[in-house]
């Protein structure tokens, strides 16, 4: 079975419930290194995460040295402000081969707020649902996402900027399965300036939720995308509630003349919101990469909430 890959040059995530208090984070980050050769502070990524105290209030920068890390990683909800960083995405790989349950089979699970992932490849041998983008506000920049059926799914409010996607399914494939379930939910997936390539056919999206919301704007779409563009998942009643829009996309797959009649185009004034990071309220939580670090970062019991 093909390996499906989430390749990150930069991936920034903030969970919205409960929010962490960013004002209490320190200017200098606590630095910890992970190195399989034994030359770092830890040999496994999860060990470094486990050492971060519960109710953490300081930026923790975990530098992962090159290698293939066969681990399933979990960042608990009570450990915010963690940055997990490799040096190059093509030589720092986190991989697992679990499959089945969409929650339990994940290679990397992030439950905490203010998480940043950089220069990593996250890989799983599962067949579909590559990226469960479920809760919170997320920003993806310069990423490569490869998958098959519904391979970007969930109900977060997320901006995918300069994201490369390649559907690899041998049969049916959908790029997105967004799960917005009511008009009051401020969630949805936006793809401004992305690039879509691949060898097999796919659609742009289908509704996991009745009010599914997905926007592709200024995106290159190759002929991998079928002319109809979208699917109603066999439920025509959702055609009037879904929010599926395209704006000034280009490429052989961007011709909308044969799109399903219920998909829509955005007007220039309407699209402004979807082209800006303001749609995910980025100014309130996206912070620059730390330039100053504290060492040594002593191991701390998870039962303690204070640094020694």
């Amino acid at each position: 079975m093909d390996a499906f890959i989430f390749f990150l040059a930069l991936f920034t995530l903030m969970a919205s419930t409960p929010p962490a208090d960013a004002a209490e984070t320190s200017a200098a980050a606590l630095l910890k290194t992970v190195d399989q050769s034994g030359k770092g502070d830890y040999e496994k990524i999860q060990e470094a995460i486990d050492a971060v105290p519960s109710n953490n209030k300081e930026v923790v920068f975990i530098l992962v040295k090159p290698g293939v890390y066969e681990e399933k990683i979990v960042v608990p909800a009570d450990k915010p402000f963690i940055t997990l960083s490799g040096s190059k995405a093509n030589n720092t790989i986190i991989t697992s081969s679990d499959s089945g349950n969409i929650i339990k089979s994940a290679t990397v699970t992030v439950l905490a707020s203010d998480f940043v992932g950089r220069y990593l490849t996250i890989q799983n041998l599962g067949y579909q649902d590559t990226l469960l983008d479920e809760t919170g506000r997320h920003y993806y920049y310069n990423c490569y996402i490869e998958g098959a059926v519904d391979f970007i799914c969930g109900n977060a409010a997320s901006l995918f900027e300069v994201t490369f996607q390649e559907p690899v399914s041998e049969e049916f494939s959908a790029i997105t399965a967004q799960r917005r379930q009511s008009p009051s939910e401020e969630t949805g997936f936006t793809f401004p300036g992305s690039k879509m390539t691949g060898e097999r056919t796919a659609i742009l999206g289908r509704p996991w939720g009745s009010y599914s919301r997905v926007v592709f704007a200024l995106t290159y779409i190759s002929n991998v995308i079928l002319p109809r563009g979208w699917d109603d998942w066999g439920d025509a009643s959702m055609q009037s509630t879904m929010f599926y829009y395209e704006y000034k996309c280009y490429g052989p797959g961007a011709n909308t003349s044969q799109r399903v009649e219920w998909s829509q185009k955005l007007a220039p004034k309407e699209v402004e919101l979807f082209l800006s990071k303001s749609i995910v309220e980025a100014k309130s939580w996206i912070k620059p990469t730390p330039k100053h670090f504290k060492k040594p970062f002593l191991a701390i019991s998870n039962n303690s909430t204070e640094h020694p």
Side-chain angles (χ1 to χ4, degrees):
M1 182 177 293
D2 292 330
F4 298 120
I5 297 172
F6 183 15
F7 175 99
L8 302 86
L10 174 63
F11 161 51
T12 305
L13 157 67
M14 177 177 177
S16 61
T17 307
D21 187 354
E24 295 186 30
T25 59
S26 62
L30 298 171
L31 177 64
K32 206 64 180 174
T33 58
V34 179
D35 191 335
Q36 290 178 323
S37 71
K39 296 180 181 179
D41 300 305
Y42 299 96
E43 295 183 13
K44 293 183 177 294
I45 298 170
Q46 189 65 54
E47 291 174 351
I49 294 170
D50 290 344
V52 177
S54 296
N55 304 313
N56 173 55
K57 294 182 179 180
E58 298 190 77
V59 176
V60 177
F61 193 95
I62 300 174
L63 179 61
V64 183
K65 296 300 181 69
V68 178
Y69 294 82
E70 296 184 6
E71 300 186 52
K72 290 181 65 173
I73 307 301
V74 177
V75 182
D78 64 350
K79 297 189 178 187
F81 305 116
I82 290 177
T83 292
L84 191 63
S85 178
S87 55
K88 292 182 179 180
N90 62 0
N91 66 14
T92 310
I93 300 168
I94 307 172
T95 183
S96 69
S97 59
D98 200 359
S99 62
N101 184 284
I102 190 174
I103 303 296
K104 296 179 180 179
S105 65
T107 298
V108 175
T109 300
V110 178
L111 303 175
S113 70
D114 298 87
F115 173 85
V116 178
R118 311 166 69 244
Y119 308 116
L120 299 167
T121 293
I122 298 173
Q123 177 179 279
N124 189 284
L125 297 181
Y127 180 70
Q128 66 184 74
D129 304 333
T130 304
L131 173 58
L132 176 59
D133 192 60
E134 176 61 12
T135 303
R137 293 170 289 171
H138 310 152
Y139 173 53
Y140 301 83
Y141 174 74
N142 197 20
C143 300
Y144 171 89
I145 306 173
E146 178 183 291
V149 182
D150 305 329
F151 69 89
I152 302 175
C153 58
N155 194 26
S158 299
L159 184 70
F160 296 80
E161 191 170 61
V162 194
T163 303
F164 300 86
Q165 305 150 59
E166 181 172 351
V168 297
S169 173
E170 295 183 359
E171 298 179 358
F172 176 83
S173 183
I175 304 296
T176 65
Q178 208 279 330
R179 203 171 64 89
R180 184 168 173 255
Q181 299 179 78
S182 79
S184 64
E185 290 184 296
E186 297 181 356
T187 60
F189 299 160
T190 302
F191 298 83
S194 298
K195 182 178 181 180
M196 199 173 305
T197 61
E199 297 179 357
R200 301 186 176 98
T201 58
I203 57 171
L204 295 171
R206 61 177 182 166
W208 193 6
S210 298
Y211 290 82
S212 180
R213 179 160 60 180
V214 180
V215 174
F216 287 91
L218 307 174
T219 288
Y220 173 81
I221 302 177
S222 72
N223 57 9
V224 68
I225 297 301
L226 294 169
R228 73 176 191 272
W230 308 88
D231 187 85
D232 62 11
W233 215 323
D235 187 348
S237 68
M238 291 194 287
Q239 294 178 7
S240 62
T241 57
M242 291 182 292
F243 189 95
Y244 286 161
Y245 282 83
E246 297 171 62
Y247 177 79
K248 288 190 176 180
C249 294
Y250 61 101
N255 187 333
T256 59
S257 63
Q258 297 183 56
R259 290 288 193 261
V260 291
E261 60 182 14
W262 40 267
S263 69
Q264 302 178 54
K265 295 181 181 179
L266 285 169
K269 289 185 178 180
E270 295 174 311
V271 80
E272 291 179 3
L273 173 64
F274 298 98
L275 297 178
S276 168
K277 294 186 185 69
S278 63
I279 195 170
V280 293
E281 301 179 11
K283 288 184 178 180
S284 68
W285 58 273
I286 293 182
K287 302 294 186 289
T289 302
K291 296 182 179 179
H292 304 284
F293 300 95
K294 297 178 183 179
K295 281 211 71 151
F297 177 81
L298 301 178
I300 303 171
S301 167
N302 286 336
N303 295 323
S304 172
T305 59
E306 297 189 5
H307 295 281

